Amino acid sequence: METVLKHMDCRNFAAVDVAKGICHRTKKLVLADAERCEHCVSTQKCKFCLHFVAAEQYLGTCNAVPEQPMTYPDLITVTCEKFTAALPRTGNQQQDATG
Amino acid sequence: MARTLTQIPEQSGTPIHSQAGGRASEKAVDREVKKEPCPRAKKLRDLYFQTFSSASNEFPYWYTRRYNQLEGEIPVVRRAAALKEAFSHLTPTILPGELLVMGKTHHYRGSFPMPWLSEGYYMAKEDELYKVALAKGSSTVDELSQFGNGGGNVTQSFGNVVSIAGKFGMRREEIPALLRTAREWVGKSVDDLGHKYEQMVPAYPMKEAVMRAIVCMFDSGFTLPQGREVINYYYPLEYGFDGLIHMAREKKAEVAGRADGDGWAGMNRLYNYEAVVLILEGIQSWILNYAKEARRLADFETEPQQQREYRDIAQRLDSVAHSKPTTFPEAMQMIWTVHVAVLNEDAISGLSPGRVGQVLYPYYEQDKAAGRITDDEVLEWLQLQRVKFTCIDCFASMGVVGGVLSGNTFNNLSLGGLTKDGRSAANDLEKLIIEAAIRCTSTQPTLTVLYDDKLPEDFLLKATECNKTGTGYPAWVNNRGAIDFILNQYGPEGMTVEEARAVAIGGCLETSPCSWLPLHLNAQEYWILGGSGQPTSVGVHFISLPKVLELVLFDGVDQRTGQGVYPPHGKKLESYEEIVAVFQHYFRLTVDCLTTTNNIQHDVWRKQNMAVFNSLLKPDCLLKGHLINELGYRYNGTYNVESCGTINLVNSLAAIKKLVFDDQAASLEDLKRALSDNFGFKTALEVGSFSLAEQERKDETGKWDRIHYLCLTAPKYGNDDPYADTILKEWENWFCRMCHDYESLYAKPMYACQISVSTHAPMGTATIATPDGRLSGTTFADASLSAYPGTDRNGPYALFESATVWDHSMSQNSQMNLKLHPTAVQGMQGCKKLLALTQAYMRKGGFHIQYNIVDSKMLRDAQQNPDSYRGLMVRVAGFTQYWVEIGKPIQDEVIARTEYEAL
């Protein structure tokens, strides 16, 4: 399902708290839930990973390891060695796998 | 309109004074000392002011995922591997302008739940949290733009943010995963397993009743199993992480398969060293992830200075991940990284950096001498460190974080004291630490001066200047008294006078054992110091003394709930001595049932959830190959019994003795009826204020006026009146000694700890009126030796006489707060007066004193207009907190404290 991506899905978004962050490009505070700008570069999250299988809302499984553990779409995975981008991670046609 | 307790005596010509030593001006007076932070620190502190307390599921997710993969592994290795996985996967966030980097989570003010300690809270709330999480998000910008109002507590859910425990915000997208993760720990968490086994203690039903009646506030085993201790940064500073891994690997080879005479735990050393290697590797990955992020940002950055700073950060982190630091900035980064790593390992409140100005002095001295750094640059680093420490949050339940801690994390930095060979230990870096705290006022780290007559006057006057910022820090602690306590408690474990001089304060004001260790830097040797004892946040926490008295007077039945708590004593209480004897009996029952049940919780903790990283930092774990759970620490007798409401107990016993037995002005039955009827007043909840002075009468019948008047005018502690003071002395002599009769799970005697933190508010709420005239539901006197508000009528020196009738070194601490009007200590003369006042108390044997130098009128205004006071701080008990982030009962209590207008 196609959804609008947000500032919090951007690699240049440095989280300050659960509601906002600082954009590394502009150095300004931006709201996490506001729609991303045209300079957005998608960050790594489970929902953008080839190994992610969406399940019920906000949940899914990780197929990168044999145990196939539970995971969730918005888990940030910039440190995950198994992350494999499922889709092109720039541009405005990005798909969200939150189900 | 109903009359308040203040208005009643005013109308009869005998007003209750909230001011002493003169009258304050009608106009609110601001604090005398006000300076600005450096621009970098100001920007980052201002950002903190706009930041919500934020929880995330990242660390619990990765921890649990790895833990599940290792079913059947040796427990300490399994835990270390899970910690390694979690540290390795924390998302690094670096904000523009930061020099000191890394944090608990990717949020600026972040924390996370630890369901392996306790998952019951989320399970109990599961349905509610799910509903909020799955409800359609209506995240309009207007809704989200509310950030910054009323402090950082997320008291209500909004937009896509779900409020947890009335304090933490979590993204709704993370809630189902958090609940799923928490469910994995049902029946396995320290809370659940501890509960299973604590029920086998015969006195368990009494423990439950004690908790329900709020005679005691919380279980320490699964809420905050560590803390109120002094961290030790020595080993990473001396060896670096590569060096420590190398050492642990060598030790593994040395001990593998060998018991070396210890048939119980000798073989465990192999697994412990394996766990040490794993956790250190995890922490290295965590640091290197930040270094990688700094390089990424440097590549992306277009502004030259910021780009340079990102590259410097990356270089520092690369170095700190592997090697021992060689410069002041590297040492600052190293100790901050180590501090956060310990905080992420376990739920900890009160992890104090200790005498960090003395730990960092070698780097400061050498960098200064080599022209590598200036005092201005050091001041900037120290202010940035303050902002970082202030961002620390501790995730726990509402009762613990709100009711006990007021949201504080108690990172207490100690200053002064003595060197290993007994000279003043104060140094120039410590003066810069004080200056940084004056410029960049913030709640963390709070400061404590370990007062000794050997400390130089310019250092002491600098500390009084800091007091006049109105932040409540530094607190003043009696160094000699602390050494006496340390020697008494830890002598059997080998403590010497020389080592006792390394003492520092953990948490609010918990006297903690520390040790000297030789640091080598560029071919020079320095003796630096750090914590070497177990946590002191553990044991029996806290016992409400006025509540126990209520149960004595009412035959073991809680008057708030009507439930029986203790076995009925069935006595008529025909003498004061009989009341004291029953009190002591009930108190012993309380300590016994709480000690045994908490010992079981802690025992489960040590079997399943032992500290690996914190352990390896403390002498002598690395040397022995035993962690905290196997008595690896040098000092292990740290469990204590904490009390609350001492002065209300003392004043109440004085009133009973005087009214009922000496003067026979009222019968005990009449007094009990008056207490039950709250002396004819409404409850504090009905009135909406928790301050005694603002309580309102139910009606104008005046049925209990006479008896209430007698209670209020009975002898009170704080006036150099032997009638009340003797009761305090007898209580302290009994209490401090009886604690030694109880044994922790480590088979060490317990001791008295007398701090209130914030418990005097919720415990007051749960206690009916007391014989000292205090009304139902109102807050107890704060601390352990502060006078009850308005009852100290003879000035501070009379208060000191009362407070020092007993030997404070019998206890881990005592605590006294004084509220001074800013004009009372104005100018340099005022600094000298403040120092003389402090010295007078210390020289009489007082253990601790701290000052709120603030105009009460400003606090009242702040209560009405919180948005205008985001940065206002007050001293609550052993800690400073932002006014807007503390609950109303404590705000009322701080306002009500007697304000001294002159010294």
Side-chain angles (χ1 to χ4, degrees):
Chain A
M1 135 183 207
E2 201 160 306
T3 55
V4 176
L5 295 189
K6 303 171 177 179
H7 277 311
M8 59 184 271
D9 295 317
C10 176
R11 189 73 177 98
N12 295 325
F13 176 83
V16 169
D17 62 26
V18 281
K20 61 186 173 294
I22 289 177
C23 170
H24 275 299
R25 205 182 65 80
T26 64
K27 309 282 191 298
K28 290 187 175 155
L29 276 175
V30 291
L31 294 169
D33 284 296
E35 194 175 343
R36 66 178 184 167
C37 72
E38 70 275 16
H39 302 288
C40 175
V41 179
S42 291
T43 192
Q44 291 180 200
K45 287 187 172 184
C46 274
K47 65 187 178 185
F48 303 136
C49 177
L50 188 67
H51 301 297
F52 178 74
V53 180
E56 57 204 276
Q57 196 172 12
Y58 301 136
L59 290 170
T61 52
C62 169
N63 284 345
V65 290
E67 296 89 348
Q68 300 192 345
M70 174 277 290
T71 187
Y72 52 104
D74 277 280
L75 179 67
I76 303 170
T77 53
V78 294
T79 58
C80 178
E81 57 281 11
K82 304 282 187 191
F83 179 84
T84 309
L87 293 165
R89 295 193 290 114
T90 54
N92 282 318
Q93 294 79 40
Q94 189 112 34
Q95 279 195 323
D96 188 355
T98 51
Chain B
M1 186 181 167
R3 288 192 296 163
T4 66
L5 185 62
T6 313
Q7 290 165 336
I8 294 164
E10 257 175 15
Q11 286 162 12
S12 63
T14 52
I16 295 172
H17 292 296
S18 59
Q19 299 179 352
R23 289 196 68 81
S25 66
E26 293 300 314
K27 202 176 161 201
V29 176
D30 203 352
R31 290 153 290 177
E32 181 189 346
V33 176
K34 288 168 95 172
K35 293 184 184 174
E36 280 292 302
C38 65
R40 192 189 295 273
K42 184 174 188 315
K43 198 172 167 192
L44 289 165
R45 192 186 61 170
D46 287 349
L47 180 64
Y48 169 82
F49 286 149
Q50 301 178 58
T51 302
F52 286 125
S53 190
S54 299
S56 72
N57 192 45
E58 196 172 61
F59 196 101
Y61 171 76
W62 287 106
Y63 182 100
T64 305
R65 178 167 155 160
R66 183 69 180 140
Y67 192 88
N68 287 342
Q69 287 172 334
L70 295 175
E71 180 79 38
E73 178 57 277
I74 302 283
V76 68
V77 176
R78 188 179 187 187
R79 172 154 165 77
L83 285 166
K84 176 182 175 179
E85 188 84 346
F87 273 109
S88 303
H89 287 92
L90 280 174
T91 299
T93 301
I94 298 173
L95 299 180
E98 285 193 310
L99 295 182
L100 187 61
V101 297
M102 302 185 72
K104 289 188 74 169
T105 73
H106 65 293
H107 293 125
Y108 193 47
R109 189 182 176 182
S111 62
F112 53 86
M114 296 188 181
W116 42 93
L117 280 177
S118 177
E119 86 304 330
Y121 177 81
Y122 322 105
M123 292 299 95
K125 293 259 179 190
E126 183 172 23
D127 192 43
E128 185 187 321
L129 288 171
Y130 251 126
K131 277 182 191 161
V132 179
L134 299 186
K136 188 174 182 301
S138 53
S139 53
T140 66
V141 170
D142 285 347
E143 271 182 293
L144 295 170
S145 297
Q146 61 180 286
F147 49 74
N149 296 334
N153 294 339
V154 181
T155 53
Q156 290 182 330
S157 301
F158 64 92
N160 283 322
V161 175
V162 177
S163 168
I164 300 179
K167 173 169 173 69
F168 306 97
M170 184 176 260
R171 296 286 312 175
R172 86 172 53 232
E173 303 90 346
E174 292 197 281
I175 295 288
L178 167 68
L179 296 174
R180 190 69 70 90
T181 304
R183 208 177 292 153
E184 306 256 13
W185 292 96
V186 173
K188 301 176 193 166
S189 66
V190 176
D191 184 358
D192 286 359
L193 273 176
H195 184 60
K196 175 180 168 185
Y197 288 102
E198 73 174 348
Q199 291 178 81
M200 298 175 190
V201 172
Y204 174 76
M206 187 190 297
K207 184 247 179 171
E208 275 294 294
V210 158
M211 301 303 285
R212 275 198 303 271
I214 314 188
V215 175
C216 175
M217 272 295 285
F218 73 102
D219 292 290
S220 61
F222 61 85
T223 50
L224 298 168
Q226 295 188 83
R228 299 189 175 272
E229 64 188 282
V230 178
I231 194 172
N232 198 321
Y233 303 121
Y234 170 76
Y235 287 98
L237 290 176
E238 175 67 5
Y239 299 100
F241 289 123
D242 279 355
L244 293 175
I245 289 172
H246 178 71
M247 189 189 299
R249 286 188 176 137
E250 278 191 343
K251 285 284 192 182
K252 267 172 65 179
E254 196 180 295
V255 303
R258 299 182 195 281
D260 285 333
D262 180 359
W264 278 110
M267 294 295 289
N268 291 352
R269 294 173 299 166
L270 173 66
Y271 319 124
N272 292 338
Y273 283 125
E274 172 67 3
V276 165
V277 171
L278 286 169
I279 188 80
L280 288 171
E281 287 173 347
I283 286 165
Q284 282 188 316
S285 297
W286 176 52
I287 301 169
L288 291 171
N289 284 336
Y290 272 87
K292 190 174 161 191
E293 172 69 357
R295 277 191 295 275
R296 184 187 77 83
L297 291 172
D299 292 343
F300 171 80
E301 182 60 52
T302 53
E303 200 277 307
Q305 188 187 333
Q306 182 63 71
Q307 188 177 54
R308 199 164 47 248
E309 287 177 6
Y310 283 140
R311 294 208 193 286
D312 288 346
I313 289 168
Q315 196 175 22
R316 262 194 303 278
L317 291 170
D318 281 335
S319 174
V320 162
H322 296 287
S323 311
K324 62 185 278 181
T326 56
T327 64
F328 185 81
E330 280 181 7
M332 286 288 280
Q333 181 63 60
M334 172 65 95
I335 67 166
W336 171 244
T337 300
V338 168
H339 205 93
V340 180
V342 174
L343 290 173
N344 274 5
E345 185 183 37
D346 207 359
I348 299 181
S349 167
L351 183 70
S352 294
R355 288 155 70 173
V356 78
Q358 295 162 33
V359 172
L360 291 173
Y361 188 75
Y363 307 93
Y364 168 74
E365 184 189 62
Q366 293 197 9
D367 278 9
K368 277 265 305 214
R372 284 192 291 267
I373 204 161
T374 65
D375 277 354
D376 281 344
E377 287 166 335
V378 170
L379 266 173
E380 183 177 57
W381 275 99
L382 292 170
Q383 291 174 68
L384 296 174
Q385 185 192 43
R386 293 197 63 78
V387 178
K388 275 292 190 189
F389 267 94
T390 300
C391 285
I392 294 172
D393 253 349
C394 174
F395 191 100
S397 71
M398 182 64 174
V400 173
V401 173
V404 179
L405 311 178
S406 275
N408 206 276
T409 53
F410 313 95
N411 303 274
N412 199 337
L413 191 159
S414 297
L415 304 155
L418 296 178
T419 59
K420 193 165 177 270
D421 56 357
R423 292 174 291 111
S424 161
N427 63 40
D428 287 346
L429 181 58
E430 291 192 324
K431 280 199 257 183
L432 291 179
I433 288 172
I434 297 173
E435 180 62 24
I438 291 171
R439 293 187 191 188
C440 184
T441 55
S442 60
T443 53
Q444 306 294 336
T446 191
L447 304 180
T448 294
V449 171
L450 297 170
Y451 175 82
D452 194 285
D453 277 343
K454 290 183 179 176
L455 296 180
E457 190 175 63
D458 65 328
F459 173 79
L460 296 170
L461 286 172
K462 184 74 192 169
T464 61
E465 181 194 343
C466 188
N467 278 141
K468 296 203 296 185
T469 57
T471 54
Y473 56 69
W476 298 80
V477 158
N478 189 327
N479 193 50
R480 299 294 167 116
I483 288 172
D484 285 350
F485 168 78
I486 288 277
L487 280 169
N488 278 336
Q489 181 63 25
Y490 301 104
E493 294 188 72
M495 177 65 75
T496 63
V497 171
E498 194 175 74
E499 184 131 292
R501 288 183 185 136
V503 66
I505 300 301
C508 292
L509 48 126
E510 283 88 333
T511 309
S512 298
C514 300
S515 297
W516 303 102
L517 296 151
L519 180 82
H520 300 90
L521 185 63
N522 297 322
Q524 285 195 57
E525 183 177 89
Y526 300 82
W527 285 94
I528 66 165
L529 65 179
S532 54
Q534 290 213 17
T536 79
S537 63
V538 284
V540 175
H541 293 191
F542 294 70
I543 301 180
S544 169
L545 304 181
K547 188 71 187 179
V548 176
L549 181 63
E550 176 189 313
L551 290 155
V552 170
L553 296 177
F554 292 92
D555 208 15
V557 176
D558 179 6
Q559 296 303 290
R560 184 176 62 96
T561 63
Q563 303 285 308
V565 175
Y566 302 118
H569 54 73
K571 296 183 189 299
K572 290 185 178 171
L573 304 177
E574 289 176 323
S575 69
Y576 173 76
E577 289 71 24
E578 192 172 33
I579 289 175
V580 171
V582 174
F583 184 94
Q584 291 178 351
H585 173 60
Y586 276 178
F587 193 82
R588 277 190 178 278
L589 291 177
T590 312
V591 175
D592 187 64
C593 74
L594 292 171
T595 300
T596 47
T597 50
N598 272 287
N599 273 349
I600 287 174
Q601 290 174 6
H602 283 287
D603 197 44
V604 170
W605 176 86
R606 77 162 158 172
K607 288 177 167 64
Q608 307 277 20
N609 203 69
M610 68 296 282
V612 181
F613 186 60
N614 199 15
S615 288
L616 77 90
L617 298 175
K618 295 231 177 156
D620 300 301
C621 292
L622 276 177
L623 186 69
K624 294 179 185 170
H626 295 299
L627 306 181
I628 184 171
N629 51 337
E630 295 167 355
L631 295 167
Y633 285 17
R634 195 171 292 180
Y635 301 107
N636 299 283
T638 58
Y639 281 58
N640 54 26
V641 180
E642 290 182 344
S643 59
C644 172
T646 303
I647 294 311
N648 290 97
L649 170 72
V650 167
N651 288 344
S652 292
L653 288 173
I656 291 171
K657 187 168 189 284
K658 178 83 173 151
L659 267 64
V660 177
F661 299 110
D662 289 0
D663 296 353
Q664 300 187 0
S667 71
L668 189 61
E669 286 311 306
D670 277 348
L671 176 60
K672 284 166 59 181
R673 277 193 284 273
L675 298 178
S676 296
D677 201 25
N678 198 27
F679 295 111
F681 281 74
K682 296 176 184 173
T683 66
L685 273 176
E686 285 172 327
V687 176
S689 168
F690 301 86
S691 164
L692 179 72
E694 291 173 17
Q695 299 310 299
E696 295 172 6
R697 273 236 265 242
K698 276 192 287 199
D699 54 46
E700 290 299 321
T701 60
K703 189 177 172 188
W704 303 113
D705 280 4
R706 178 182 156 275
I707 206 163
H708 195 204
Y709 174 80
L710 292 171
C711 290
L712 286 169
T713 54
K716 294 281 185 285
Y717 160 84
N719 296 290
D720 192 17
D721 178 349
Y723 196 96
D725 298 348
T726 303
I727 292 172
L728 171 68
K729 183 177 181 176
E730 287 169 352
W731 159 253
E732 293 290 353
N733 284 342
W734 181 79
F735 172 50
C736 293
R737 290 184 178 122
M738 68 81 72
C739 295
H740 300 157
D741 297 341
Y742 298 86
E743 190 180 66
S744 74
L745 69 156
Y746 295 106
K748 306 290 179 196
M750 294 166 73
Y751 55 83
C753 172
Q754 306 191 59
I755 56 171
S756 67
V757 199
S758 301
T759 58
H760 54 299
M763 287 187 149
T765 305
T767 306
I768 67 164
T770 40
D772 57 346
R774 178 196 143 273
L775 296 175
S776 178
T778 58
T779 305
F780 296 151
D782 66 280
S784 68
L785 290 176
S786 303
Y788 189 70
T791 62
D792 44 338
R793 304 182 189 96
N794 297 339
Y797 290 94
L799 176 61
F800 293 173
E801 289 293 334
S802 293
T804 54
V805 293
W806 62 286
D807 176 5
H808 291 204
S809 69
M810 294 190 299
S811 173
Q812 186 185 22
N813 42 41
S814 66
Q815 186 175 18
M816 179 185 285
N817 289 315
L818 272 192
K819 190 164 74 177
L820 307 177
H821 193 273
T823 54
V825 288
Q826 196 114 39
M828 179 46 83
Q829 206 54 33
C831 284
K832 289 183 174 170
K833 277 188 196 173
L834 189 60
L835 181 55
L837 183 77
T838 307
Q839 286 171 324
Y841 188 55
M842 297 283 126
R843 287 168 183 164
K844 288 189 74 63
F847 175 78
H848 159 274
I849 191 165
Q850 61 196 12
Y851 305 101
N852 265 311
I853 301 176
V854 61
D855 190 325
S856 300
K857 290 186 283 297
M858 182 186 278
L859 300 182
R860 286 192 194 93
D861 190 47
Q863 206 171 36
Q864 299 304 314
N865 305 293
D867 291 349
S868 307
Y869 291 91
R870 179 61 184 90
L872 177 65
M873 289 177 281
V874 291
R875 197 71 172 175
V876 179
F879 63 97
T880 292
Q881 185 58 301
Y882 289 109
W883 179 258
V884 294
E885 294 199 3
I886 57 179
K888 190 169 186 303
I890 294 290
Q891 288 186 349
D892 289 343
E893 181 269 308
V894 175
I895 289 172
R897 290 179 192 171
T898 305
E899 178 183 280
Y900 285 91
E901 311 304 329
L903 297 176

